[in-house]
Amino acid sequence: MADQRSNPTLARVLDVITYIVMIGLAIAFVLPLLWMIGASLKEEGQVLAVPPTLFPSQPQWANYVQVLELIPVFFWNSVKLAFINVFGLLIVASLAGFAFGRLRFPGRDILFLVVLATAMIPGIAYLIPQYLIFRQIGWIDTQFPLWVPRVFTPVFATFLMRQYFKTLPQELEDAARVDGAGTFTVFWRIMLPQTTPALAAISIFTFLDSWNDLFGPLIYINSENLQTLPVALAQFQNEYFTQITLLMAGATIAVMPVILVYIFAQKYFIQGITMTGLKG
């Protein structure tokens, strides 16, 4: 650091190199997205043409019209499940995180370790028993398996909320209790509003997990009117032919909500991730 302060030229050169590397990485990450958008606006025969072009001279907006005619039900199902998963999981994880982070009860730390230990079990290990249980209670070909396990077993989200609750000063809670506030009032009116960054980070992770879920709908749902958007995109591919332009148009529509969510929540997302590990 001392060498850089004494040599401004070296510092500027390092800054230029850093910016060049960052710009190169940004282009590398953005280029596949641009190719997807460009391919969605081409005719089927132009997608793999040589030499390749990023965007067509005559955009084929009819590709989006055709896709939008096919996916409204799938899109709505994905939106509905994402909404249920995000808000349901936020409620459960915030309550559990507050209990593990702020309340004192016998066996609290041991119970929290047990909860964390469940995250070490791979999902594929309990897939068949879980399927048999859902079949036994009549949940196959319903959307319950797509949100109930995710909402009521938020291990990672509970960990993040616990860590964030532990960073909040004890004086806030003490002042509220002096004023006569009960435990739930302390949680709802004092502590929870302070955890907006952690809630935003959890919301983004949960939204992505639900929105991109292909495995769950394929296993548990048989009716087409209950399927989700990733399944609809998979229908543009078959054993002998792939409709690349329609697939890319559908993928563009599917990825736009994810980009918008991240753009509007990125400030809180970054803050939530950086703050949750400050206190053990």
Side-chain angles (χ1 to χ4, degrees):
M1 294 295 295
D3 292 339
Q4 292 185 23
R5 293 193 192 99
S6 60
N7 192 341
T9 302
L10 177 60
R12 284 196 292 269
V13 170
L14 292 176
D15 288 341
V16 170
I17 294 174
T18 300
Y19 283 122
I20 291 175
V21 172
M22 292 176 65
I23 292 172
L25 291 174
I27 293 174
F29 281 107
V30 171
L31 192 59
L33 179 64
L34 295 178
W35 184 90
M36 178 182 69
I37 297 174
S40 70
L41 295 171
K42 295 179 180 179
E43 297 179 355
E44 193 67 37
Q46 295 179 343
V47 177
L48 302 178
V50 179
T53 56
L54 192 58
F55 292 102
S57 56
Q58 296 182 343
Q60 303 296 312
W61 298 106
N63 293 338
Y64 283 91
V65 175
Q66 187 174 350
V67 169
L68 289 173
E69 291 175 351
L70 297 174
I71 66 171
V73 174
F74 303 100
F75 188 86
W76 162 245
N77 286 333
S78 288
V79 170
K80 179 177 67 175
L81 286 169
F83 181 86
I84 294 173
N85 277 306
V86 169
F87 285 95
L89 190 141
L90 286 179
I91 293 173
V92 175
S94 59
L95 287 169
F98 178 78
F100 285 122
R102 307 297 301 194
L103 302 183
R104 296 179 178 86
F105 53 88
R108 181 190 66 174
D109 294 337
I110 295 176
L111 183 58
F112 182 67
L113 289 176
V114 172
V115 172
L116 290 182
T118 61
M120 300 177 63
I121 305 174
I124 196 68
Y126 55 80
L127 175 62
I128 294 177
Q130 183 172 267
Y131 181 89
L132 295 176
I133 292 173
F134 288 157
R135 187 180 66 177
Q136 197 70 23
I137 62 179
W139 280 8
I140 299 301
D141 203 25
T142 70
Q143 293 182 341
F144 288 112
L146 304 183
W147 66 267
V148 172
R150 186 177 285 115
V151 166
F152 290 100
T153 58
V155 178
F156 178 66
T158 298
F159 171 77
L160 285 181
M161 291 303 298
R162 172 187 179 269
Q163 296 301 101
Y164 207 94
F165 276 122
K166 288 177 72 69
T167 64
L168 301 179
Q170 182 66 31
E171 289 77 10
L172 288 174
E173 184 176 348
D174 294 340
R177 293 193 181 278
V178 168
D179 291 337
T183 301
F184 185 78
T185 302
V186 171
F187 162 74
W188 184 254
R189 302 189 62 180
I190 307 299
M191 294 298 178
L192 191 62
Q194 309 296 323
T195 63
T196 302
L199 294 175
I202 293 170
S203 298
I204 293 177
F205 283 129
T206 306
F207 178 81
L208 290 174
D209 189 30
S210 174
W211 190 261
N212 295 327
D213 186 16
L214 173 64
F215 198 51
L218 285 177
I219 293 176
Y220 299 114
I221 295 181
N222 303 318
S223 301
E224 184 173 341
N225 64 318
L226 296 177
Q227 291 288 8
T228 58
L229 191 55
V231 178
L233 297 181
Q235 292 183 355
F236 294 118
Q237 306 177 75
N238 57 47
E239 184 177 357
Y240 303 103
F241 179 70
T242 298
Q243 296 173 286
I244 299 179
T245 56
L246 299 185
L247 179 61
M248 293 300 104
T252 302
I253 295 173
V255 80
M256 285 306 164
V258 177
I259 295 176
L260 292 176
V261 167
Y262 182 76
I263 289 175
F264 287 111
Q266 62 175 328
K267 173 184 175 182
Y268 297 110
F269 171 74
I270 296 172
Q271 185 179 352
I273 292 299
T274 55
M275 289 290 291
T276 49
L278 292 182
K279 189 171 183 179

